Amino acid sequence: MASKFLGLACIRNESWHTRPHYPSMPKYPKGFDVKEQSIEGSESKALYSVIGMTCSACAGSVEKAIKRLPGIKEAVVDVLNNRAQVLFYPAFVNVRSRFLEFGFWEETIRETIEDVGFQATLMQDETNENSTQVCRIHIKGMTCTSCSTTVESALQEINGVKKAQVALATEEAQIYYDPKVLSYDQLLEVIENTGFEAILISTGEEKSKIHLKVDGVRTDQSMRMIQNSLQALPGVQDIDIDLPQNKFSLSYKADLTGPRNFIDVIESTGAGRYKAAIFPEGGGRDARRKEEIKEYYKSFLWSLVFTIPVFLISMVFMYIPGIKHVLETKVVNMLDVGEILRWILSTPVQFIIGRRFYTGAYKSLRNGSANMDVLIALGTNAAYFYSVYSVLRAATSPHFKSTDFFETSAMLISFILLGKYLEVLAKGKTSEAIAKLMNLAPDTAILLTVDDNGNVRSEQEIDSRLIQKNDKIKVIPGAKVASDGSVIWGQSHVNESMITGEARPVAKKKGDKVIGGTVNENGVLHIKVTTVGSESALSQIVRLVESAQLAKAPVQKFADHISKFFVPLVIFFSFSTWLAWFLAGKFSTYPKSWIPSSMDSFQLALQFGISVMVVACPCALGLATPTAVMVGTGVGASQGVLIKGGQALESAHKVDCIVFDKTGTLTIGKPVVVKTKLLKNIVLQEFYELVAAAEVNSEHPLAKAVVEYAKTFRGDDENQAWFEAREFESITGHGVKAIVQNKEIMMGNKRLMLDNNIAIPTDAEDMLDESEELAQTGILVAIDREVIGVIAISDPLKPSTCEVISILKSMKVKSIMVTGDNWGTANAIAKEVGIDTVIAEAKPEDKAEKVKNLQASGYIVAMVGDGINDSPALVAADVGMAIGAGTDIAIEAADIVLMRSNLEDVITAIDLSRKTFTRIRLNYIWALGYNLLGIPIAAGALYPPFGIRLPPWVAGAAMAASSVSVVLCSLLLKYYKRPKKLDNLEIGGITVE
């Protein structure tokens, strides 16, 4: 949307109809009178992702091209982050809506960048920068897909809500909204208006937030004084006070301050009278789940207190002579003691313990939908109120003998509560993976006090939640690393399996990074903390997995579609069943011997109708997909495979073709110079001084390898500056040009030389051929338009690459390699690993185009890559898989992140997705099977031939069992083991920083 009115910046106080410089710009439709306007006023900005830049020269060319457009105030291009920020005047914001459909606003800037040779994509709207926040809300009371769909639809209709996801399994909503348009309080209100209780989890407003409890405060004035002291600290953004609990909630910038500073300020403010500590945790997902389990357990136990006596009076005591006589004693007319007792005992179960079903049914019907509570309320009410009618008629008639169903309504509610208890118990286990991740961080840490010379002066054990950025902490053998950081002293091996899934401990030394929650094995480490709280790797992984569990898989649409008609259809079937049996009995179309002695034809028909109503379970359908996705994504996280939701899982299980990038994916990604051949008499060090001066401006991995090798000739002076390179130019996919020491340096492949009419000597050709046969990359070096040397660079294959390709073939998955490297090297690598199809010398857009061609041929394509230039292909593929050690942009663009950077995790990801979807299919078989078999049996299909009848309380138990069965089926994924073929591979576990 942003870029669609960037074209407005192309006007400088002139009429749009008379712009001579843009003849290709479309004419405006008749009837639009666009007048001359001034562009003076405040400026706005738009942010673009620019793919394909390799160096500062690329950035400069993009920047110049944008600045040449009239109306652009400023353009800043960041080559490292591949972004372009455009500043312009928003004078014509109100005009843009009239022309959005024509799309030329977006094309103006995009085409300008693409004309320079790069791909541009809008990243955010210039008028809404940082205007989207993500709010997470816990929703209590949802019972089936109909409930979650109702809430989701209500949220989507609100002005300001950009996207809303409501997950039945996690009972959470994730809402992307514009805080300028509405507040999270309004979101809570909308949810509560749909009939459910809403509890705020996070608003998306704060990066770092902490809750502190202060003891010793006796007056409101003291609380205000403490608030003023805290507010004065640098980095403190907002402070909320809860006076009754003496609680402070602070939002702050972790770079400037932290929780220890807050505690020091509080305790010094009161001259020692006040004591501050982190407020006890509570209200998290685990706590809410435990509360829900406790609530259902309590309700079930109370229902048993009343239901068991009702059952005994109805089914057992009637066969014990002495007790039977007492129960059959008449009180008024034909009303006996047993009926009164059943009525009294079942009433609390129906209206007090079962109140939740009335409440849920009322709220659901009020919103124009029908959920499981409607079925339960109708079924139990039919049984209960018919029984009340029967009892009252017996009390007023000397001849009518009543038959009541009080035990039906009481037992039905008890069994449903038991089923819900077992269901929430099992659902709690589906999110154990997140709970385990969140509990990885240790409770305490050893804080070091260090002097200016780096010597440790003291050690102090503190609560790990009090750690601040730039703290120095000590990690002893066997202890967990308390926070993300870098090693400043010591050597050890750290077990990172709980974060990355990598089984082998990773060696750590000074300068290496460590991840919070990992286990130090055999040495003492001193670590400088770099990230804390929500910015830590552990927190980001937890957020990603939580978001994945909220995202719906496309197959979920099947259940959502059925849920719209499920309950009304069941009610129709139930009424039809009752009517059919009632009319059949009324007109004696079946033998009277079919009617039990304790009933008449109406009562028999009523039981069939109630059984149909309560045997059908919409919950099981709603839980079939999300519970399996929850367990699958959680298991993936524990295996080092981060799957971004149900969409990625569903696409991955269909993959039959994988496109691999070469550098950093099939290979380690850290090229090294292995051979140099000079064709002229020149000192090798002088040669590399010139070469490195030209290549140091390039971000390409091969250029970095050349520069690193050139440093070896300098010895102790390796940090010395290189010669100045003038007129540097990077030719994408070919090489570089520059003027160094008044010499024209040209480095790259054969195409670069031929395009510049530079002859390639036979010796150089032979060297290139030899390099290609050895899977090495040959770089030609020309000085003053004469080839004087060839540099051979090798990038070793990752361990087990060949075995992974072989296993993929056995899984009937086609492997293709796409690389920007030359054909000879690409073919040599492909031959070595067993890949038949190769695309070489490919630009980023060529990779994406290849993916699209494969999709057009009918393949479901996965792209595996690690670099910025892989991002377009990662997005274009059905499933993008990013190597964890790759760039942030590649990881952001991907659907699946392989944290260990091991290729065997590609197989794990595909296999896990296939196993997960096998579970989803089984879940649908369970859910639909219960309903498709249960409804006919409950309707009496087996009664005429076999005399088999499904009493309502048994039907209720079957309904509860269907949900429990689905959740338990999903839970079996917790025992997932990756393919045995992978266990025989020697895992390299190589991570390149």
Side-chain angles (χ1 to χ4, degrees), residues 621-682:
L621 279 170
L623 294 170
T625 299
T627 52
V629 170
M630 281 180 69
V631 180
T633 51
V635 168
S638 66
Q639 299 264 352
V641 178
L642 294 183
I643 303 169
K644 297 181 181 179
Q647 172 77 57
L649 264 176
E650 182 163 348
S651 300
H653 94 280
K654 302 175 186 175
V655 165
D656 54 9
C657 177
I658 298 184
V659 177
F660 290 96
D661 174 48
K662 179 179 77 70
T663 305
T665 303
L666 295 176
T667 64
I668 291 174
K670 194 172 183 179
V672 292
V673 175
V674 292
K675 188 176 180 181
T676 307
K677 182 176 179 65
L678 298 177
L679 306 178
K680 297 290 181 180
N681 290 322
I682 184 174

Side-chain angles (χ1 to χ4, degrees), residues 714-726:
R714 291 187 162 188
D716 296 336
D717 297 329
E718 65 174 28
N719 292 322
Q720 178 185 337
W722 301 103
F723 295 129
E724 180 186 0
R726 294 180 290 107

Side-chain angles (χ1 to χ4, degrees), residues 252-491:
Y252 63 96
K253 295 180 180 178
D255 288 341
L256 301 176
T257 189
R260 286 204 315 282
N261 294 344
F262 305 148
I263 291 175
D264 290 342
V265 166
I266 292 170
E267 294 182 349
S268 61
T269 299
R273 295 195 312 273
Y274 307 143
K275 295 295 179 185
I278 293 178
F279 199 84
E281 292 291 337
R285 179 188 285 185
D286 193 43
R288 290 192 301 272
R289 185 73 72 188
K290 286 179 180 177
E291 184 63 31
E292 188 180 16
I293 291 170
K294 184 180 177 181
E295 189 178 321
Y296 273 112
Y297 181 66
K298 185 179 177 181
S299 297
F300 172 64
L301 288 184
W302 273 110
S303 72
L304 288 183
V305 170
F306 298 97
T307 302
I308 289 175
V310 172
F311 173 78
L312 292 174
I313 293 169
S314 302
M315 308 288 187
V316 179
F317 292 162
M318 296 305 291
Y319 300 98
I320 302 175
I323 300 176
K324 179 181 179 183
H325 176 72
V326 174
L327 294 175
E328 290 183 344
T329 301
K330 299 295 184 285
V331 178
V332 179
N333 288 328
M334 297 298 289
L335 178 65
D336 60 39
V337 173
E339 290 169 341
I340 293 174
L341 289 174
R342 288 194 292 273
W343 187 5
I344 293 171
L345 289 168
S346 63
T347 299
V349 179
Q350 183 71 34
F351 297 108
I352 299 175
I353 297 169
R355 182 186 176 192
R356 66 175 69 241
F357 303 119
Y358 284 97
T359 304
Y362 165 72
K363 291 175 178 177
S364 176
L365 292 172
R366 189 182 69 182
N367 287 286
S369 62
N371 62 5
M372 186 195 77
D373 291 333
V374 173
L375 296 179
I376 297 170
L378 284 175
T380 57
N381 277 335
Y384 179 84
F385 284 107
Y386 174 79
S387 301
V388 171
Y389 159 77
S390 182
V391 167
L392 291 176
R393 186 176 175 187
T396 56
S397 171
H399 307 293
F400 179 79
K401 178 166 176 57
S402 73
T403 302
D404 64 80
F405 297 141
F406 286 123
E407 80 284 348
T408 294
S409 67
M411 292 175 68
L412 190 54
I413 288 174
S414 296
F415 271 106
I416 289 168
L417 287 173
L418 173 62
K420 293 301 291 181
Y421 166 69
L422 295 174
E423 182 186 317
V424 296
L425 201 64
K427 278 164 67 178
K429 295 184 180 294
T430 61
S431 56
E432 278 186 355
I434 287 183
K436 287 179 180 177
L437 282 171
M438 295 176 75
N439 292 330
L440 284 177
D443 295 328
T444 61
I446 301 173
L447 179 67
L448 300 177
T449 303
V450 181
D451 61 23
D452 294 339
N453 297 321
N455 300 316
V456 177
R457 296 175 57 189
S458 64
E459 299 180 5
Q460 178 188 2
E461 188 172 68
I462 62 169
D463 188 319
S464 61
R465 293 172 296 177
L466 296 176
I467 293 175
Q468 300 178 181
K469 194 170 183 179
N470 297 322
D471 278 348
K472 278 77 173 179
I473 58 175
K474 176 182 178 181
V475 187
I476 61 175
K480 290 182 178 180
V481 178
S483 190
D484 294 1
S486 58
V487 178
I488 56 175
W489 179 88
Q491 291 186 358

